[in-house]
Amino acid sequence: MRNINLESYLKSELKDNNEENDELASVIKSIADATKLIAMDTRVTGLKQIRGSLDKTNVQGEQVQILDQISNDKLVDILAKNSSCAGYASEELKDPKIFNSSARFMVVADPLDGSSNISVNMPIGTIFGIIRNTDYGKSSFIKSGRYYISAGYSLYGPSDIFVICANNKVAEFTLDPQKNDYFLSRSEIKVPNKGSIYSVNEGNFSIWDNKIKKWLLNTKNPSGTSAKNKKLRYVGSLVADAHRTLINGGIFVYPSDKNNQNGKLRLMYEANPFALIFTSAGGSAVDLEKEILDIEPENFHQRTPLIIGSKSDVNNFLEHMTTGKKKVKENTEITPIFKWTSNSITNLRKSLNLSRTNFGKKVGVSRATVLRWEKDIVLPNYINKKALDNAFLSVKNDLIDNPMED
Ligand code: AHM
Ligand code: MG
């Protein structure tokens, strides 16, 4: 495993040698390159005197740390040179940057997560998501998590690691500082169905809703003879708390409270990336009632409650929120974006100017199946719908009409 570097992993994982996959791999590679540079700085913050704050606040009114700024600048510099990256938006920028509006992908990021831990040498990280550029402009950034094609994070800690979700698989790479390259250290990560750790800022107990308080008290002191209490671990850097939860299972909770009525964490560059990662790894990601990936964003910097973790632990949390009526869907797969009908399939095929045979090849079915869809004899199944979504989203949408409009 040690010999597989990030580049060769992406080559084999995104192996349909099409342009979209090659470009996606190159954007991921650029982000990874930026995180290597950030990692070099995080190792010597005390020596380079870069662990203080700047005399300015960001768009959310938070004090900008020197390392926040450095990390953001590194991502901007590297991504601006990648011709497949249409634009970049981040926690540190009021407005997104557009580099090349017709390119295929948009990158969103929290360049340096866990800023309050910089000065005390605790784990910090970079979180990112990659969105398809469907609108050819800034509105491509305001999309639900269902539009994210890939997401990941780096964690600067005892080892510097880079975790990537591509092709719905999650893998961890460790930076070999001598070779200055990331090597595979865990493949096909799966979140255990249940864990023994809960992670929440209990200092906020007095400003929580009663339902959250009851969940917490039950987690610390569960009822029933076979129930076991969980251990508390809370670093205060989302990347670190989420990574432990991804590997060991359990639950991370940052709910809304009296001071943060919409939660504290940001939907586009903190919650959505982790929602894609956890969902792809068989875990769950919800706000107080529904899947994070289903939240339709209204603005780029909006906040959300975030609960991620083992499916069983998140279900238990939701039972406390909804008195047992609602559970997160059992389906571990990412749901398709569009509802495909016979007419919208025909529209898509004709807009792509493909025969039924070639259209079938594009979405992985036979000509006969395409015909049956178009004649409304059978409906596409889950996998088919995802392939149809991809066929639509991967072409320039100025060439074709929205398939939802029959
Ligand atoms: P940041 O992105 O500005 O560093 O803030 C987000 C951080 C998360 O990493 C972490 O989960 C959370 O804020 C901790 O908040 P609190 O200190 O309120 O527990
Ligand atoms: Mg953050």
Side-chain angles (χ1 to χ4, degrees):
M1 214 191 248
R2 273 201 82 249
N3 298 324
I4 304 173
N5 70 2
L6 179 64
E7 194 167 356
S8 44
Y9 171 85
L10 292 173
K11 236 181 227 145
S12 74
E13 202 45 60
L14 302 171
K15 58 178 163 284
D16 293 345
N17 255 337
N18 60 42
E19 227 174 83
E20 181 179 59
N21 278 348
D22 292 347
E23 291 189 26
L24 177 61
S26 103
V27 173
I28 295 171
K29 185 77 184 15
S30 292
I31 297 168
D33 287 345
T35 66
K36 286 183 204 166
L37 297 174
I38 300 168
M40 280 165 72
D41 278 337
T42 64
R43 281 179 223 137
V44 289
T45 46
L47 300 178
K48 274 188 148 183
Q49 290 169 352
I50 50 173
R51 61 183 170 193
S53 54
L54 292 169
D55 190 18
K56 69 171 189 177
T57 51
N58 65 15
V59 57
Q60 359 229 341
E62 297 159 346
Q63 189 87 34
V64 178
Q65 302 292 310
I66 300 171
L67 208 53
D68 286 329
Q69 186 72 55
I70 292 176
S71 307
N72 192 59
D73 292 348
K74 293 208 155 111
L75 282 159
V76 172
D77 287 352
I78 289 190
L79 287 170
K81 292 185 197 120
N82 187 317
S83 60
S84 302
C85 182
Y88 168 80
S90 88
E91 180 179 345
E92 305 308 332
L93 296 174
K94 183 164 178 285
D95 289 312
K97 284 186 185 293
I98 300 291
F99 306 131
N100 164 15
S101 60
S102 61
R104 217 181 273 266
F105 299 113
M106 300 289 199
V107 173
V108 295
D110 176 354
L112 207 285
D113 174 62
S115 312
S116 66
N117 278 327
I118 299 171
S119 62
V120 288
N121 196 30
M122 296 279 283
I124 47 182
T126 299
I127 308 168
F128 64 91
I130 302 176
I131 312 178
R132 284 193 172 96
N133 181 12
T134 44
D135 300 355
Y136 296 89
K138 291 184 180 174
S139 60
S140 283
F141 286 109
I142 318 290
K143 296 285 174 186
S144 81
R146 302 280 175 205
Y147 282 78
Y148 285 50
I149 187 168
S150 174
Y153 58 92
S154 57
L155 173 57
Y156 314 111
S159 298
D160 296 320
I161 60 167
F162 184 83
V163 172
I164 183 73
C165 172
N167 198 18
N168 290 339
K169 288 185 196 153
V170 181
E172 178 206 80
F173 294 79
T174 299
L175 184 62
D176 179 334
Q178 254 98 51
K179 296 184 177 152
N180 194 31
D181 202 357
Y182 283 114
F183 290 91
L184 187 62
S185 42
R186 280 189 174 111
S187 59
E188 292 215 43
I189 296 173
K190 294 283 169 220
V191 188
N193 188 45
K194 199 174 164 93
S196 59
I197 290 174
Y198 74 100
S199 187
V200 64
N201 184 343
E202 272 195 59
N204 291 334
F205 189 88
S206 64
I207 51 173
W208 285 342
D209 182 272
N210 278 345
K211 289 175 180 171
I212 313 275
K213 289 181 181 170
K214 277 189 190 152
W215 162 78
L216 181 82
L217 294 174
N218 184 261
T219 302
K220 287 155 77 104
N221 190 13
S223 49
T225 44
S226 61
K228 247 188 118 192
N229 58 320
K230 292 190 191 300
K231 291 178 196 168
L232 167 64
R233 296 281 185 273
Y234 189 72
V235 176
S237 288
L238 175 62
V239 273
D241 287 315
H243 185 66
R244 183 197 53 248
T245 310
L246 184 79
I247 304 302
N248 290 345
I251 187 164
F252 168 87
V253 174
Y254 208 113
S256 46
D257 56 46
K258 281 194 187 122
N259 299 340
N260 300 291
Q261 308 243 331
N262 298 319
K264 176 183 180 189
L265 299 172
R266 273 61 53 113
L267 175 65
M268 305 305 287
Y269 41 86
E270 291 178 320
N272 272 338
F274 278 111
L276 183 67
I277 293 165
F278 272 76
T279 312
S280 302
S284 296
V286 298
D287 60 6
L288 299 178
E289 50 186 32
K290 63 179 176 307
E291 287 192 60
I292 292 287
L293 294 175
D294 284 331
I295 300 175
E296 291 295 340
E298 281 163 18
N299 68 71
F300 184 70
H301 293 288
Q302 82 186 56
R303 296 172 190 262
T304 177
L306 176 65
I307 293 88
I308 45 180
S310 297
K311 202 168 269 289
S312 155
D313 293 319
V314 174
N315 275 341
N316 173 273
F317 176 89
L318 287 177
E319 277 167 16
H320 282 84
M321 298 307 113
T322 58
T323 54
K325 278 186 210 137
K326 232 183 202 174
K327 282 191 176 187
V328 72
K329 278 187 247 155
E330 284 306 311
N331 184 5
T332 60
E333 294 162 317
I334 315 275
T335 47
I337 298 170
F338 301 120
K339 291 186 190 83
W340 290 97
T341 63
S342 56
N343 283 346
S344 61
I345 294 169
T346 308
N347 287 348
L348 175 65
R349 180 177 67 76
K350 289 192 174 157
S351 311
L352 293 169
N353 211 7
L354 290 176
S355 66
R356 290 198 175 102
T357 307
N358 287 339
F359 183 70
K361 277 186 192 150
K362 188 166 180 69
V363 297
V365 298
S366 66
R367 179 188 178 280
T369 301
V370 175
L371 189 64
R372 284 201 290 269
W373 289 344
E374 292 190 9
K375 297 273 177 225
D376 214 5
I377 298 167
V378 287
L379 287 171
N381 66 19
Y382 170 84
I383 304 274
N384 304 145
K385 283 184 190 157
K386 284 296 292 175
L388 289 164
D389 280 355
N390 282 332
F392 171 64
L393 291 170
S394 66
V395 290
K396 291 186 186 303
N397 74 343
D398 47 352
L399 296 179
I400 60 174
D401 295 328
N402 184 335
M404 294 307 292
E405 286 159 16
D406 283 354

